[in-house]
Protein backbone atom coordinates (compact mmCIF):
# COMPACT_ATOMS: atom_id res chain seq x y z
CA UNK A 1 0.00 0.00 0.00
CA UNK A 2 2.74 2.43 0.99
CA UNK A 3 4.75 1.69 -2.14
CA UNK A 4 1.68 2.35 -4.24
CA UNK A 5 1.07 5.66 -2.48
CA UNK A 6 4.67 6.73 -3.02
CA UNK A 7 4.56 5.83 -6.71
CA UNK A 8 1.26 7.63 -7.24
CA UNK A 9 2.43 10.73 -5.41
CA UNK A 10 5.74 10.81 -7.22
CA UNK A 11 3.90 10.39 -10.55
CA UNK A 12 1.67 13.36 -9.78
CA UNK A 13 4.72 15.47 -8.90
CA UNK A 14 6.45 14.22 -12.04
CA UNK A 15 3.48 15.23 -14.17
CA UNK A 16 3.63 18.69 -12.64
CA UNK A 17 7.35 18.96 -13.27
CA UNK A 18 6.91 17.75 -16.85
CA UNK A 19 4.59 20.67 -17.51
CA UNK A 20 7.41 23.12 -16.70
CA UNK A 21 8.28 22.50 -20.34
CA UNK A 22 5.30 24.75 -21.09
CA UNK A 23 7.67 27.67 -20.45
CA UNK A 24 9.55 27.11 -23.69
CA UNK A 25 6.64 27.24 -26.14
CA UNK A 26 5.25 30.24 -24.24
CA UNK A 27 8.41 32.21 -24.74
CA UNK A 28 8.78 31.04 -28.33
CA UNK A 29 5.20 31.79 -29.32
CA UNK A 30 5.33 35.18 -27.65
CA UNK A 31 8.47 35.97 -29.59
CA UNK A 32 6.85 34.83 -32.84
CA UNK A 33 3.71 36.86 -32.18
CA UNK A 34 5.78 39.96 -31.37
CA UNK A 35 7.76 39.61 -34.56
CA UNK A 36 4.51 39.05 -36.44
CA UNK A 37 3.11 42.32 -35.06
CA UNK A 38 6.29 44.12 -36.10
CA UNK A 39 6.03 42.70 -39.60
CA UNK A 40 2.37 43.69 -39.92
CA UNK A 41 3.24 47.19 -38.71
CA UNK A 42 5.91 47.47 -41.35
CA UNK A 43 3.91 45.87 -44.17
CA UNK A 44 0.16 45.96 -43.43
CA UNK A 45 -0.76 44.75 -46.92
CA UNK A 46 0.90 41.37 -46.31
CA UNK A 47 -1.10 40.69 -43.17
CA UNK A 48 -2.75 37.44 -44.25
CA UNK A 49 0.54 35.89 -45.34
CA UNK A 50 2.24 36.99 -42.14
CA UNK A 51 -0.56 35.64 -39.96
CA UNK A 52 -0.49 32.31 -41.75
CA UNK A 53 3.25 31.95 -41.40
CA UNK A 54 3.13 33.02 -37.76
CA UNK A 55 0.43 30.49 -36.88
CA UNK A 56 2.41 27.74 -38.59
CA UNK A 57 5.56 28.71 -36.70
CA UNK A 58 3.65 28.88 -33.44
CA UNK A 59 2.24 25.41 -34.00
CA UNK A 60 5.67 23.97 -34.68
CA UNK A 61 7.12 25.73 -31.63
CA UNK A 62 4.33 24.19 -29.61
CA UNK A 63 5.44 20.59 -30.18
CA UNK A 64 7.80 20.44 -27.20
CA UNK A 65 5.04 21.63 -24.92
CA UNK A 66 2.72 19.03 -26.39
CA UNK A 67 5.27 16.27 -25.77
CA UNK A 68 5.47 17.22 -22.12
CA UNK A 69 1.69 17.35 -21.97
CA UNK A 70 1.47 13.82 -23.37
CA UNK A 71 3.96 12.62 -20.77
CA UNK A 72 1.95 14.30 -18.01
CA UNK A 73 -1.28 12.74 -19.32
CA UNK A 74 0.34 9.29 -19.39
CA UNK A 75 1.66 9.74 -15.85
CA UNK A 76 -1.73 10.79 -14.51
CA UNK A 77 -4.27 8.76 -16.44
CA UNK A 78 -2.55 5.51 -17.46
CA UNK A 79 0.32 5.29 -15.05
CA UNK A 80 2.75 2.61 -16.28
CA UNK A 81 4.81 2.79 -13.08
CA UNK A 82 2.08 1.42 -10.80
CA UNK A 83 1.94 -1.81 -12.77
CA UNK A 84 5.66 -2.36 -12.17
CA UNK A 85 5.18 -2.82 -8.42
CA UNK B 1 -10.42 11.23 -18.34
CA UNK B 2 -11.37 8.03 -20.08
CA UNK B 3 -10.45 6.69 -23.44
CA UNK B 4 -13.11 6.34 -26.12
CA UNK B 5 -15.84 3.87 -25.21
CA UNK B 6 -16.08 0.59 -27.09
CA UNK B 7 -19.45 0.55 -28.87
CA UNK B 8 -19.33 -3.02 -30.17
CA UNK B 9 -16.84 -5.72 -31.06
CA UNK B 10 -16.45 -7.35 -34.46
CA UNK B 11 -16.09 -11.10 -33.83
CA UNK B 12 -13.12 -11.50 -36.15
CA UNK B 13 -9.49 -12.35 -35.38
CA UNK B 14 -10.28 -12.62 -31.69
CA UNK B 15 -12.57 -9.60 -31.55
CA UNK B 16 -11.83 -6.19 -33.06
CA UNK B 17 -13.14 -3.45 -30.75
CA UNK B 18 -14.95 -0.63 -32.56
CA UNK B 19 -14.68 2.53 -30.47
CA UNK B 20 -16.66 5.74 -30.27
CA UNK B 21 -13.98 7.41 -32.37
CA UNK B 22 -14.52 5.09 -35.30
CA UNK B 23 -18.30 5.37 -35.14
CA UNK B 24 -18.11 9.17 -34.96
CA UNK B 25 -15.81 9.24 -37.98
CA UNK B 26 -18.33 7.11 -39.89
CA UNK B 27 -20.94 9.74 -39.13
CA UNK B 28 -18.62 12.47 -40.43
CA UNK B 29 -17.84 10.50 -43.57
CA UNK B 30 -21.55 9.97 -44.15
CA UNK B 31 -22.33 13.65 -43.57
CA UNK B 32 -19.59 14.82 -45.92
CA UNK B 33 -20.65 12.29 -48.55
CA UNK B 34 -24.29 13.35 -48.42
CA UNK B 35 -23.34 17.03 -48.47
CA UNK B 36 -21.10 16.47 -51.52
CA UNK B 37 -23.85 14.60 -53.35
CA UNK B 38 -26.45 17.24 -52.58
CA UNK B 39 -24.23 20.17 -53.53
CA UNK B 40 -22.91 18.71 -56.77
CA UNK B 41 -26.25 17.36 -57.98
CA UNK B 42 -27.30 20.38 -60.01
CA UNK B 43 -24.20 22.33 -60.91
CA UNK B 44 -24.77 25.53 -62.83
CA UNK B 45 -22.56 27.73 -64.94
CA UNK B 46 -23.45 30.72 -62.78
CA UNK B 47 -23.22 29.43 -59.20
CA UNK B 48 -25.80 30.23 -56.58
CA UNK B 49 -26.58 29.16 -53.04
CA UNK B 50 -24.34 26.51 -51.49
CA UNK B 51 -22.53 26.03 -54.78
CA UNK B 52 -20.80 29.37 -54.15
CA UNK B 53 -19.51 28.08 -50.82
CA UNK B 54 -18.31 24.80 -52.31
CA UNK B 55 -16.56 26.58 -55.18
CA UNK B 56 -14.98 29.01 -52.72
CA UNK B 57 -13.63 26.12 -50.65
CA UNK B 58 -12.21 24.30 -53.67
CA UNK B 59 -10.60 27.48 -55.03
CA UNK B 60 -9.11 28.24 -51.62
CA UNK B 61 -7.57 24.77 -51.28
CA UNK B 62 -6.20 24.87 -54.83
CA UNK B 63 -4.68 28.30 -54.23
CA UNK B 64 -3.18 27.18 -50.93
CA UNK B 65 -1.61 24.14 -52.60
CA UNK B 66 -0.31 26.39 -55.37
CA UNK B 67 1.20 28.87 -52.92
CA UNK B 68 2.79 26.32 -50.60
CA UNK B 69 3.87 23.45 -52.83
CA UNK B 70 4.51 25.30 -56.05
CA UNK B 71 3.02 24.88 -59.50
CA UNK B 72 2.12 21.50 -61.06
CA UNK B 73 1.45 19.88 -57.67
CA UNK B 74 -2.31 20.22 -58.11
CA UNK B 75 -2.83 16.47 -57.86
CA UNK B 76 -2.31 16.70 -54.09
CA UNK B 77 -5.10 19.27 -53.69
CA UNK B 78 -7.98 16.73 -53.29
CA UNK B 79 -6.18 14.94 -50.48
CA UNK B 80 -5.39 18.20 -48.67
CA UNK B 81 -8.97 19.42 -49.00
CA UNK B 82 -10.36 16.12 -47.73
CA UNK B 83 -8.04 15.91 -44.75
CA UNK B 84 -8.79 19.50 -43.78
CA UNK B 85 -12.53 18.94 -43.92
CA UNK B 86 -12.37 15.62 -42.08
CA UNK B 87 -10.05 16.95 -39.39
CA UNK B 88 -11.96 20.19 -38.84
CA UNK B 89 -15.30 18.38 -38.63
CA UNK B 90 -13.71 15.69 -36.45
CA UNK B 91 -12.76 18.35 -33.92
CA UNK B 92 -15.96 20.34 -34.28
CA UNK B 93 -18.13 17.28 -33.60
CA UNK B 94 -17.31 17.82 -29.93
CA UNK B 95 -19.67 20.82 -30.07
CA UNK B 96 -22.52 18.34 -30.50
CA UNK B 97 -21.50 16.52 -27.34
CA UNK B 98 -19.84 13.61 -29.11
CA UNK B 99 -16.24 12.70 -28.41
CA UNK B 100 -13.89 14.51 -30.79
CA UNK B 101 -12.51 12.12 -33.39
CA UNK B 102 -9.10 13.79 -33.27
CA UNK B 103 -8.79 13.38 -29.49
CA UNK B 104 -7.64 9.83 -30.22
CA UNK B 105 -4.06 9.11 -31.18
CA UNK B 106 -5.19 6.33 -33.55
CA UNK B 107 -6.90 8.83 -35.86
CA UNK B 108 -4.14 11.40 -36.04
CA UNK B 109 -1.40 8.77 -36.25
CA UNK B 110 -3.08 7.11 -39.22
CA UNK B 111 -3.31 10.45 -41.06
CA UNK B 112 0.31 11.19 -40.20
CA UNK B 113 1.32 7.78 -41.57
CA UNK B 114 -0.50 8.54 -44.81
CA UNK B 115 1.50 11.78 -45.00
CA UNK B 116 4.71 9.86 -44.26
CA UNK B 117 4.09 7.33 -47.03
CA UNK B 118 3.16 10.13 -49.44
CA UNK B 119 6.35 12.00 -48.59
CA UNK B 120 8.63 9.01 -49.09
CA UNK B 121 6.81 7.77 -52.19
CA UNK B 122 6.92 11.26 -53.70
CA UNK B 123 10.64 11.43 -52.96
CA UNK B 124 11.27 8.08 -54.62
CA UNK B 125 9.20 9.00 -57.66
CA UNK B 126 10.78 12.38 -58.33
CA UNK B 127 14.37 11.58 -57.45
CA UNK B 128 14.58 7.93 -58.41
CA UNK B 129 15.31 5.13 -55.98
CA UNK B 130 19.09 5.42 -56.03
CA UNK B 131 19.40 9.14 -55.52
CA UNK B 132 16.62 8.98 -52.91
CA UNK B 133 18.70 6.46 -50.97
CA UNK B 134 21.77 8.61 -51.53
CA UNK B 135 19.92 11.56 -50.01
CA UNK B 136 20.18 9.84 -46.63
CA UNK B 137 23.98 10.04 -46.84
CA UNK B 138 23.85 13.83 -47.21
CA UNK B 139 26.05 15.77 -46.43
CA UNK B 140 28.40 13.11 -44.99
CA UNK B 141 27.71 9.38 -44.57
CA UNK B 142 28.11 9.68 -40.78
CA UNK B 143 24.78 11.52 -40.73
CA UNK B 144 22.86 8.40 -41.85
CA UNK B 145 21.20 7.63 -38.48
CA UNK B 146 20.35 11.30 -37.98
CA UNK B 147 18.71 11.55 -41.40
CA UNK B 148 16.68 8.38 -40.84
CA UNK B 149 15.61 9.64 -37.40
CA UNK B 150 14.55 13.03 -38.74
CA UNK B 151 12.31 11.31 -41.30
CA UNK B 152 10.81 8.91 -38.75
CA UNK B 153 10.12 11.62 -36.18
CA UNK B 154 7.93 13.61 -38.59
CA UNK B 155 4.78 11.45 -38.33
CA UNK B 156 5.20 11.20 -34.56
CA UNK B 157 5.40 14.94 -34.01
CA UNK B 158 2.64 15.56 -36.56
CA UNK B 159 0.23 13.18 -34.85
CA UNK B 160 1.11 14.09 -31.26
CA UNK B 161 0.66 17.79 -31.98
CA UNK B 162 -2.87 17.36 -33.27
CA UNK B 163 -3.85 14.79 -30.65
CA UNK B 164 -2.27 16.75 -27.79
CA UNK B 165 -3.98 20.01 -28.64
CA UNK B 166 -7.46 18.54 -28.90
CA UNK B 167 -7.20 16.23 -25.91
CA UNK B 168 -5.65 19.00 -23.80
CA UNK B 169 -8.72 21.09 -24.57
CA UNK B 170 -10.89 18.13 -23.57
CA UNK B 171 -9.05 17.65 -20.26
CA UNK B 172 -9.17 21.34 -19.38
CA UNK B 173 -12.88 21.57 -20.21
CA UNK B 174 -13.53 18.50 -18.06
CA UNK B 175 -11.55 19.97 -15.14
CA UNK B 176 -13.50 23.21 -15.37
CA UNK B 177 -16.81 21.35 -15.46
CA UNK B 178 -16.00 19.34 -12.34
CA UNK B 179 -14.62 22.46 -10.62
CA UNK B 180 -17.82 24.37 -11.34
CA UNK B 181 -19.91 21.47 -10.07
CA UNK B 182 -17.92 21.46 -6.83
CA UNK B 183 -18.35 25.24 -6.56
CA UNK B 184 -22.11 24.93 -6.92
CA UNK B 185 -22.11 22.32 -4.18
CA UNK B 186 -20.16 24.59 -1.84
CA UNK B 187 -22.24 27.72 -2.48
CA UNK B 188 -25.67 26.09 -2.31
CA UNK B 189 -24.72 23.43 0.28
CA UNK B 190 -25.97 20.67 -2.00
CA UNK B 191 -29.53 22.04 -2.04
CA UNK B 192 -29.54 22.50 -5.82
CA UNK B 193 -29.79 19.30 -7.85
CA UNK B 194 -28.42 21.07 -10.96
CA UNK B 195 -24.84 22.43 -11.07
CA UNK B 196 -26.00 25.90 -12.10
CA UNK B 197 -22.51 27.43 -12.41
CA UNK B 198 -21.81 25.12 -15.34
CA UNK B 199 -23.99 27.39 -17.46
CA UNK B 200 -22.24 29.98 -19.59
CA UNK B 201 -18.56 29.95 -18.72
CA UNK B 202 -17.62 26.65 -20.45
CA UNK B 203 -19.24 27.93 -23.64
CA UNK B 204 -16.80 30.84 -23.82
CA UNK B 205 -13.84 28.50 -23.34
CA UNK B 206 -15.30 26.13 -25.89
CA UNK B 207 -14.96 28.84 -28.54
CA UNK B 208 -11.20 28.66 -28.07
CA UNK B 209 -10.67 25.00 -27.30
CA UNK B 210 -13.16 23.46 -29.70
CA UNK B 211 -13.69 25.91 -32.54
CA UNK B 212 -10.45 27.88 -32.82
CA UNK B 213 -8.04 25.15 -31.77
CA UNK B 214 -9.77 22.48 -33.82
CA UNK B 215 -9.79 24.43 -37.06
CA UNK B 216 -6.28 25.76 -36.48
CA UNK B 217 -4.87 22.28 -35.91
CA UNK B 218 -6.62 21.00 -39.03
CA UNK B 219 -5.05 23.86 -40.99
CA UNK B 220 -1.63 23.22 -39.51
CA UNK B 221 -1.81 19.51 -40.24
CA UNK B 222 -2.61 20.24 -43.90
CA UNK B 223 0.04 22.95 -44.07
CA UNK B 224 2.78 20.70 -42.69
CA UNK B 225 1.69 17.85 -44.97
CA UNK B 226 2.01 20.20 -47.93
CA UNK B 227 5.41 21.44 -46.78
CA UNK B 228 6.78 17.92 -46.23
CA UNK B 229 5.45 16.51 -49.50
CA UNK B 230 6.42 19.66 -51.38
CA UNK B 231 9.98 19.48 -50.09
CA UNK B 232 10.27 15.79 -50.90
CA UNK B 233 8.94 16.18 -54.44
CA UNK B 234 11.01 19.21 -55.35
CA UNK B 235 13.41 18.11 -58.07
Amino acid sequence: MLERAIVLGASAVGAGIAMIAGLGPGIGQGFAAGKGCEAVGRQPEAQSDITRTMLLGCAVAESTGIYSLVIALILIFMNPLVNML
Amino acid sequence: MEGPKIIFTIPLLGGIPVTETVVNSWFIILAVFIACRLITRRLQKVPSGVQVLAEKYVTMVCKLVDDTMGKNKQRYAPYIGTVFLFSALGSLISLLGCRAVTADLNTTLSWALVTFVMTQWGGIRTKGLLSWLKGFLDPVPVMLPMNIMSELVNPISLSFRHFGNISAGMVITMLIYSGLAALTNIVFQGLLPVPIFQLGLPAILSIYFDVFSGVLQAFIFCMLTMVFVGMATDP
Side-chain angles (χ1 to χ4, degrees):
Chain A
M1 199 61 219
L2 184 65
E3 294 102 339
R4 200 179 145 78
I6 290 173
V7 167
L8 285 178
S11 306
V13 173
I17 292 174
M19 284 318 290
I20 293 177
L23 273 179
I27 295 171
Q29 291 184 350
F31 207 74
K35 288 285 180 192
C37 288
E38 266 177 34
V40 172
R42 213 176 301 129
Q43 241 177 332
E45 69 274 7
Q47 191 188 9
S48 63
D49 276 352
I50 292 167
T51 312
R52 206 174 66 199
T53 317
M54 190 198 79
L55 284 178
L56 188 68
C58 280
V60 176
E62 209 176 36
S63 349
T64 49
I66 294 293
Y67 296 155
S68 73
L69 173 80
V70 169
I71 289 172
L73 285 180
I74 289 173
L75 277 177
I76 291 177
F77 291 113
M78 48 192 85
N79 201 324
L81 302 173
V82 175
N83 302 329
M84 281 184 191
L85 285 175
Chain B
M1 189 179 72
E2 294 156 353
K5 283 194 278 293
I6 294 172
I7 307 274
F8 61 92
T9 312
I10 299 174
L12 263 178
L13 304 167
I16 305 169
V18 175
T19 58
E20 222 177 334
T21 310
V22 180
V23 176
N24 285 354
S25 22
W26 288 342
F27 279 122
I28 292 168
I29 292 167
L30 199 70
V32 170
F33 177 73
I34 291 173
C36 286
R37 288 310 293 244
L38 284 182
I39 290 172
T40 57
R41 208 173 40 181
R42 279 196 308 272
L43 291 180
Q44 283 148 4
K45 201 83 180 168
V46 181
S48 61
V50 276
Q51 201 192 333
V52 180
L53 273 180
E55 281 189 11
K56 175 84 185 155
Y57 179 69
V58 171
T59 333
M60 229 166 60
V61 171
C62 288
K63 192 170 169 295
L64 196 66
V65 170
D66 244 16
D67 287 350
T68 335
M69 297 173 82
K71 303 285 171 202
N72 64 49
K73 300 272 175 64
Q74 271 308 323
R75 66 166 176 279
Y76 292 108
Y79 173 68
I80 301 293
T82 313
V83 165
F84 179 81
L85 209 59
F86 196 1
S87 163
L89 288 179
S91 305
L92 289 178
I93 202 173
S94 63
L95 291 177
L96 300 178
C98 304
R99 198 177 192 283
V101 170
T102 42
D104 189 333
L105 189 57
N106 296 314
T107 314
T108 53
L109 189 61
S110 54
W111 293 343
L113 285 178
V114 172
T115 300
F116 178 72
V117 170
M118 261 168 76
T119 312
Q120 303 308 327
W121 177 241
I124 292 172
R125 219 170 57 167
T126 36
K127 294 193 184 94
L129 186 60
L130 273 181
S131 60
W132 174 75
L133 284 173
K134 223 158 103 190
F136 283 104
L137 299 176
D138 248 11
V140 276
V142 189
M143 294 291 278
L144 177 68
M146 300 285 170
N147 282 331
I148 292 175
M149 270 306 280
S150 76
E151 289 296 326
L152 287 183
V153 150
N154 274 346
I156 296 173
S157 81
L158 207 55
S159 57
F160 270 112
R161 182 178 302 121
H162 200 156
F163 157 74
N165 265 288
I166 307 295
S167 57
M170 211 171 72
V171 169
I172 291 170
T173 315
M174 194 197 60
L175 283 177
I176 285 169
Y177 266 117
S178 51
L180 289 173
L183 193 68
T184 324
N185 246 342
I186 291 169
V187 172
F188 293 104
Q189 303 291 337
L191 293 175
L192 234 61
V194 197
I196 193 118
F197 283 143
Q198 282 186 358
L199 282 175
L201 179 66
I204 300 165
L205 289 164
S206 164
I207 292 174
Y208 177 79
F209 285 121
D210 290 331
V211 179
F212 178 73
S213 186
V215 176
L216 180 69
Q217 289 307 315
F219 173 70
I220 280 158
F221 190 91
C222 295
M223 202 70 186
L224 287 176
T225 301
M226 279 188 281
V227 170
F228 289 154
V229 177
M231 267 185 346
T233 52
D234 267 344

